[in-house]
Amino acid sequence: MLLSHYTQAWLLYLGLAFVLMVMFAPGGVAGGMVALTQALREGRIRRHAGRYVVQAVAAALMLLGGSALVEMLYHLQLDGDIDPTLRFLWFTLDVGSTVHWMAAGFLVLLGWGVLAISRRVPGESS
């Protein structure tokens, strides 16, 4: 698997992807594509495009922060005694730095808050 070349936590990510698919897309990828095609035909995507963009950015923030937390935890557990730094995407993170832990947690909370607010915006339900 390609993901295993980039992270030691690949099984965790694979398991989370499976759980999220079961929870939010029980019809699988094909069912999601059918629903997307139907929403495009009915014009629901165009009506709520701004909300969807905000929600996608919020989800990306949560994914970035959550992944950074997971990678730091794995690095701390497996290699933290040898080298406290790790390369994560375009960043070098230090598992001994409180600032890096807080920044990753902040990204998760910021994304979660933006997602919660964007879902409460009045208008037609999506």
Side-chain angles (χ1 to χ4, degrees), residues 13 62-72 88-89 93 104 108:
Y13 293 125
M62 289 174 60
L63 181 65
L64 180 66
S67 296
L69 288 172
V70 166
E71 293 300 321
M72 286 193 293
F88 176 70
L89 299 176
L93 300 176
V108 172

Side-chain angles (χ1 to χ4, degrees), residues 4-15:
S4 65
H5 291 287
Y6 295 106
T7 178
Q8 295 175 334
W10 69 274
L11 277 174
L12 175 65
Y13 293 125
L14 186 63

